[in-house]
Amino acid sequence: MALKYTNKINKIRTFALSLVFVGILVMYIGIFFRESYIVMTLAMLIGFLFIIGSTVVYFWIGMLSTKTIQVVCPSCGGATKMLGRVDACMHCSEPLTMDKSLEGKDFDEKYNRKSTK
Ligand SMILES: [Zn+2]
């Protein structure tokens, strides 16, 4: 089974974008419940919360972006942003590492948490 790794910043961005769509969808569903004021108001409120949530996530991406390291991918030659010790290329999803000791090892998200001596 081949696992496809995605760049963390891209992953969070996709998540934020999906939150917007969920929010719009919930609000849209609310329109079908026009006869029930409570259900419609609730749907609008939940939908609004999703959109607020995505704004928060987008803000978080902005914060995280200051901590990323710009590197040139050795595989595709494109400039990518790395978050943490291991991350995948934004363009070709090539696993990249900042740590020489992890080079050649299987890409693993847990390397970001574990501290090796
Ligand atoms: Zn690449």
Side-chain angles (χ1 to χ4, degrees):
M1 193 179 76
L3 277 162
K4 192 156 169 74
Y5 306 116
T6 41
N7 181 273
K8 277 176 208 123
I9 295 286
N10 277 1
K11 208 185 278 173
I12 302 162
R13 206 170 273 154
T14 309
F15 173 68
L17 196 70
S18 57
L19 273 182
V20 176
F21 282 118
V22 169
I24 291 165
L25 193 76
V26 170
M27 282 175 152
Y28 187 72
I29 290 163
I31 297 165
F32 291 103
F33 293 94
R34 265 188 295 251
E35 60 280 354
S36 171
Y37 179 76
I38 299 152
V39 176
M40 201 182 95
T41 310
L42 215 69
M44 290 295 165
L45 212 71
I46 294 163
F48 186 67
L49 280 173
F50 271 111
I51 291 161
I52 291 288
S54 86
T55 311
V56 172
V57 174
Y58 270 117
F59 185 73
W60 183 46
I61 296 166
M63 301 273 281
L64 285 175
S65 292
T66 61
K67 278 187 254 171
T68 55
I69 304 141
Q70 190 120 21
V71 290
V72 174
C73 174
S75 183
C76 68
T80 183
K81 281 173 186 160
M82 271 186 74
L83 188 65
R85 292 167 73 202
V86 282
D87 206 349
C89 173
M90 274 181 178
H91 314 285
C92 66
S93 296
E94 169 82 19
L96 305 166
T97 180
M98 292 302 289
D99 199 324
K100 289 274 173 205
S101 66
L102 297 175
E103 250 172 38
K105 287 186 185 178
D106 283 334
F107 182 86
D108 201 324
E109 289 277 347
K110 73 171 178 278
Y111 289 143
N112 285 315
R113 270 158 252 140
K114 191 177 75 183
S115 57
T116 44
K117 276 139 216 159

